[in-house]
Amino acid sequence: MHEFERQFIIYYAQRMSKEENNKSLNFIEAMIEKDIKDNTYNGRVHLRFPPEPNGYLHIGHAKSICLNFGLAEKYGGKCNLRFDDTNPVKEEVEYVDAIKEDIHWLGFDWEDREYYASDYFGQLYEWAVLLIHKGKAYVDESSADEVAAHRGSPTKPGRESEYRNRSVKENLDLFERMKKGEFPDGSKVLRAKIDMASPNMHMRDPVMYRIKHAFHHRTGNKWCIYPMYDFAHGQSDFVENITHSLCTLEFEVHRPLYDWFLDNIIDDPEVNRRRTHQTEFARLNLNYTVMSKRMLLQLVNEKHVTGWDDPRMPTIAGLRRRGYTPDSIRNFADKVGVAKRENTIDVGLLEHCIREDLNKKARRVMGVINPLKVTIKNYPEDQEEYLDAINNPEDDSAGTRKVPFSQTLYIEQEDFMEDPPKKFFRLSPGREVRLRYAYFITCEEAVKNEKGEVTELICTYDPASRGGNSPDGRKVKATLHWVSGRHALESEIRLYDRLFNEENPYQCEEGKTFLSNLNPDSLIIAKGFVEPFLKKDAQPFRNYQFERLGYFCVDKESIGDKLVFNRTVTLRDNWAKISQQK
Ligand code: ATP
Ligand code: MG
């Protein structure tokens, strides 16, 4: 990322938070308020979040969850959770459970309104029969290839199927036999009889039902015909009395079809007038990120990541394991807002939101990722002492803790340079620095191994500088973090970076796939040391700021004496720092 982009994010984020108190309504809120005023739905506001249980939820879904549940909260309405489980082949109970866990974790609740499109299979079947009775649906025996070939193109009308005009009686008979399981998969479909010349391809006699002799995670083997998503979605909204059905933009062209189904199913004009209305908004896209479920599934299946909850994944489970908090994600969704046109949000804004939240909440501790041994030669070998450290300068109620100090310490390798350039103010031979909360130390000598690498620093300390305070007003230009060697806990520290190197990972050279854009350095595992306080305190998913290094959280694989930390995010935007240095 370039510096100006970073500045833009900061400016954008600041502007957004200023506007928060004084925000004008977005177009969806304006619509809902108008409907309340006009009494369109007798004052009701009823939304739904409709995931298909064919994968884990990602940050894009989080935006949709925050939008739907958030609007219900804001207007004293309700929001249902509805699983759109019309495709038994790709759906699994594991996904249903994960989706529920993620929504609850974000802080939303559907109460007792957990619904499944499969609850409506019986009703949908009856409606399909009704449409056949009305001469608005027919059984087609053309092959899938023929159906596709006859559809035409946006500029060329399609061709009517030879089965289009069979009698109602024949259609009823065939559809019933499809349901009874008399025909093999793919041999027949039920299609809506609309208009093969419609400029909207979705209106060219779309398929309503297909034959799939497949086990469904809820209905078992009861059905061998399954409704298409398009035949189920609008009607499910109708059954649940949804007032505002929010979808992403790609469904805008499906809306006339949803309306056509409902227009032909509902006879009562008054019911029709008050039925669900669909509104589209732009999906969330993030740079350096893929959000297609197909691609996320491929990353998991081909083991480019360790699972759906790999901390590099943009899934809610991955973000949680990475150390993201519900507040940071809700805040992000709010800052992004809703738009009517597709756009791509800088992933830096998401990182900004977690920094902002953890800065307020995370306890500060000291940890060293790339340790360099320091021996304080004028500090007695058998002595140790406990120094006061502030837990969170942003939160006085967090209090203080004791940090042990002893003769042998670890500091960060990169805080020492034997031959420092002009602007390097940290440790080098002869230089004095402050150890945070501890003492001023001066480097006397760098010990090297036979390869010439520095393996240890011999230093002296000034006992008069206890607490890190200057004894005589003399100044040092750097303050370093450190841990006491004897007391430190060895731990595995997983340093995560962006999963993709390319801003737009979907774009790749000819003959290659999005996988060619994977960042080979997205995970670096370090063996580091952390202060002993963490031995008891480190519970899985707990967040910390490692002073000067970034925000880290305890991984779920951290058990007993084995401590594992995930880096959530660095303190500042390193990508910006790198481009500044160039
Ligand atoms: P796919 O089309 O790959 O199955 P999907 O992302 O559409 O995936 P669904 O489970 O159908 O997945 O999505 C559930 C809800 O989340 C839908 O209402 C959808 O519009 C919304 N949604 C999905 N992706 C995004 C996104 N990137 N931004 C905002 N909303 C999204
Ligand atoms: Mg979908």
Side-chain angles (χ1 to χ4, degrees):
M1 192 182 345
H2 296 293
E3 175 60 11
F4 76 86
E5 278 181 73
R6 199 179 72 91
Q7 292 298 338
F8 173 74
I9 293 165
I10 293 169
Y11 159 74
Y12 182 72
Q14 283 171 348
R15 202 194 64 186
M16 299 301 278
S17 58
K18 260 194 215 135
E19 279 176 5
E20 239 151 27
N21 298 325
N22 186 20
K23 215 165 29 179
S24 57
L25 301 180
N26 66 45
F27 72 99
I28 296 178
E29 291 166 332
M31 170 186 71
I32 293 178
E33 295 200 2
K34 183 168 187 308
D35 284 332
I36 294 174
K37 198 164 130 258
D38 296 351
N39 213 21
T40 317
Y41 304 105
N42 292 324
R44 286 189 313 115
V45 175
H46 202 150
L47 303 109
R48 85 286 174 267
F49 173 66
E52 186 181 350
N54 61 351
Y56 278 57
L57 298 180
H58 52 59
I59 181 76
H61 295 115
K63 170 181 164 165
S64 177
I65 293 166
C66 292
L67 180 64
N68 284 291
F69 282 93
L71 287 168
E73 268 173 18
K74 178 165 182 182
Y75 293 106
K78 291 177 179 161
C79 183
N80 294 358
L81 169 60
R82 181 197 320 131
F83 291 99
D84 262 317
D85 55 350
T86 51
N87 185 358
V89 183
K90 288 190 174 166
E91 295 159 6
E92 285 175 31
V93 181
E94 178 198 342
Y95 298 138
V96 170
D97 294 340
I99 287 169
K100 292 200 281 186
E101 185 185 348
D102 289 347
I103 300 172
H104 272 152
W105 178 76
L106 280 174
F108 297 108
D109 189 25
W110 53 92
E111 297 169 325
D112 57 352
R113 295 178 310 279
E114 175 178 330
Y115 299 128
Y116 294 80
S118 57
D119 297 342
Y120 316 135
F121 281 175
Q123 173 70 76
L124 289 167
Y125 179 80
E126 279 172 33
W127 278 331
V129 171
L130 176 71
L131 291 179
I132 297 175
H133 270 293
K134 289 185 171 180
K136 307 252 178 197
Y138 62 98
V139 173
D140 195 337
E141 290 170 55
S142 314
S143 69
D145 287 346
E146 279 165 338
V147 172
H150 292 173
R151 277 187 85 212
S153 70
T155 50
K156 209 174 112 234
R159 224 171 70 203
E160 293 187 355
S161 159
E162 56 180 300
Y163 302 99
R164 195 175 199 259
N165 294 315
R166 49 175 31 142
S167 70
V168 168
K169 192 162 164 252
E170 200 183 351
N171 280 318
L172 287 172
D173 173 61
L174 286 170
F175 188 49
E176 194 184 340
R177 287 166 61 199
M178 278 168 66
K179 177 181 171 237
K180 281 186 179 153
E182 288 186 24
F183 309 116
D185 286 7
S187 59
K188 289 179 178 51
V189 288
L190 183 72
R191 296 178 74 176
K193 193 168 174 180
I194 309 179
D195 178 7
M196 288 305 289
S198 170
N200 182 342
M201 300 286 285
H202 297 283
M203 300 299 272
R204 293 187 186 174
D205 291 11
V207 174
M208 293 163 56
Y209 267 91
R210 71 272 209 224
I211 303 174
K212 271 185 199 237
H213 290 266
F215 181 85
H216 186 281
H217 69 111
R218 283 179 69 85
T219 58
N221 289 319
K222 179 165 181 210
W223 296 91
C224 62
I225 54 171
Y226 289 96
M228 298 297 288
Y229 178 82
D230 278 353
F231 187 63
H233 193 81
Q235 285 93 299
S236 301
D237 282 342
F238 175 65
V239 173
E240 291 174 20
N241 256 312
I242 300 302
T243 56
H244 301 87
S245 173
L246 309 182
C247 295
T248 37
L249 284 177
E250 69 273 24
F251 290 102
E252 190 172 357
V253 283
H254 296 239
R255 174 150 40 93
L257 176 59
Y258 299 165
D259 284 338
W260 187 91
F261 283 134
L262 289 174
D263 286 342
N264 285 287
I265 285 169
I266 307 168
D267 288 327
D268 184 338
E270 184 54 19
V271 174
N272 236 329
R273 198 178 65 76
R274 291 181 182 277
R275 78 175 192 226
T276 316
H277 179 80
Q278 175 175 306
T279 307
E280 301 83 13
F281 65 95
R283 61 171 49 235
L284 169 72
N285 301 303
L286 274 184
N287 60 4
Y288 298 100
T289 310
V290 299
M291 232 130 41
S292 136
K293 276 197 239 170
R294 181 182 61 76
M295 291 177 179
L296 296 177
L297 183 66
Q298 191 179 351
L299 290 171
V300 173
N301 284 345
E302 295 178 7
K303 303 209 182 325
H304 300 288
V305 293
T306 55
W308 284 101
D309 70 346
D310 185 298
R312 292 164 292 182
M313 290 282 272
T315 51
I316 298 179
L319 291 166
R320 172 165 66 234
R321 193 169 165 196
R322 176 84 172 249
Y324 276 77
T325 57
D327 281 350
S328 67
I329 294 177
R330 289 172 69 147
N331 208 358
F332 171 72
D334 208 47
K335 284 194 202 308
V336 167
V338 282
K340 276 187 183 167
R341 273 216 320 231
E342 286 279 347
N343 57 355
T344 300
I345 302 292
D346 201 307
V347 69
L349 184 62
L350 181 63
E351 292 167 354
H352 165 82
C353 290
I354 187 62
R355 282 191 192 102
E356 190 180 50
D357 195 37
L358 292 181
N359 179 46
K360 285 183 280 183
K361 298 177 182 163
R363 183 189 264 274
R364 274 59 169 170
V365 293
M366 290 196 283
V368 171
I369 294 179
N370 296 302
L372 174 61
K373 187 176 166 186
V374 170
T375 302
I376 314 283
K377 67 178 184 189
N378 57 341
Y379 195 90
E381 199 190 328
D382 50 2
Q383 186 172 317
E384 61 177 30
E385 66 186 298
Y386 284 80
L387 301 155
D388 289 320
I390 295 168
N391 287 333
N392 186 350
E394 303 288 321
D395 174 10
D396 289 342
S397 72
T400 59
R401 68 183 184 288
K402 299 282 184 192
V403 184
F405 186 86
S406 62
Q407 188 189 46
T408 306
L409 312 168
Y410 293 114
I411 64 164
E412 210 67 61
Q413 274 172 28
E414 62 169 39
D415 282 336
F416 173 80
M417 275 183 108
E418 197 175 14
D419 213 356
K422 247 192 169 160
K423 288 200 170 156
F424 185 90
F425 299 115
R426 292 168 273 167
L427 213 51
S428 58
R431 171 88 52 84
E432 184 172 51
V433 297
R434 173 191 292 109
L435 292 183
R436 181 108 159 124
Y437 302 124
Y439 292 102
F440 282 18
I441 62 165
T442 304
C443 177
E444 307 290 343
E445 185 195 342
V447 181
K448 293 181 187 169
N449 63 14
E450 60 280 9
K451 283 189 254 167
E453 297 158 342
V454 177
T455 55
E456 183 184 348
L457 303 179
I458 308 295
C459 300
T460 51
Y461 85 117
D462 179 352
S465 63
R466 192 169 196 272
N469 303 311
S470 176
D472 51 9
R474 90 182 174 263
K475 290 212 164 64
V476 289
K477 283 196 172 154
T479 301
L480 311 186
H481 62 275
W482 54 275
V483 289
S484 160
R486 196 191 307 160
H487 304 89
L489 309 170
E490 200 185 353
S491 31
E492 179 174 322
I493 302 180
R494 298 177 182 168
L495 304 168
Y496 292 105
D497 206 338
R498 291 175 186 170
L499 187 54
F500 293 96
N501 270 330
E502 287 299 318
E503 180 149 6
N504 175 3
Y506 298 103
Q507 209 168 50
C508 45
E509 282 171 39
E510 228 185 279
K512 293 194 172 163
T513 72
F514 75 106
L515 297 171
S516 64
N517 294 325
L518 278 169
N519 174 7
D521 299 321
S522 61
L523 169 60
I524 292 167
I525 298 181
K527 278 264 172 273
F529 291 100
V530 297
E531 61 175 271
F533 166 78
L534 287 165
K535 190 180 176 84
K536 277 216 183 98
D537 198 66
Q539 305 292 327
F541 298 103
R542 196 166 278 182
N543 305 93
Y544 298 97
Q545 184 193 100
F546 286 7
E547 297 219 25
R548 298 179 65 227
L549 295 176
Y551 293 100
F552 292 75
C553 83
V554 184
D555 191 71
K556 64 177 188 183
E557 288 171 7
S558 200
I559 302 165
D561 280 347
K562 187 184 168 210
L563 282 177
V564 182
F565 293 94
N566 295 322
R567 181 170 70 197
T568 310
V569 68
T570 51
L571 283 186
R572 274 173 298 275
D573 192 332
N574 269 347
W575 290 57
K577 202 166 86 192
I578 290 163
S579 58
Q580 254 177 321
Q581 278 169 358
K582 270 179 199 160

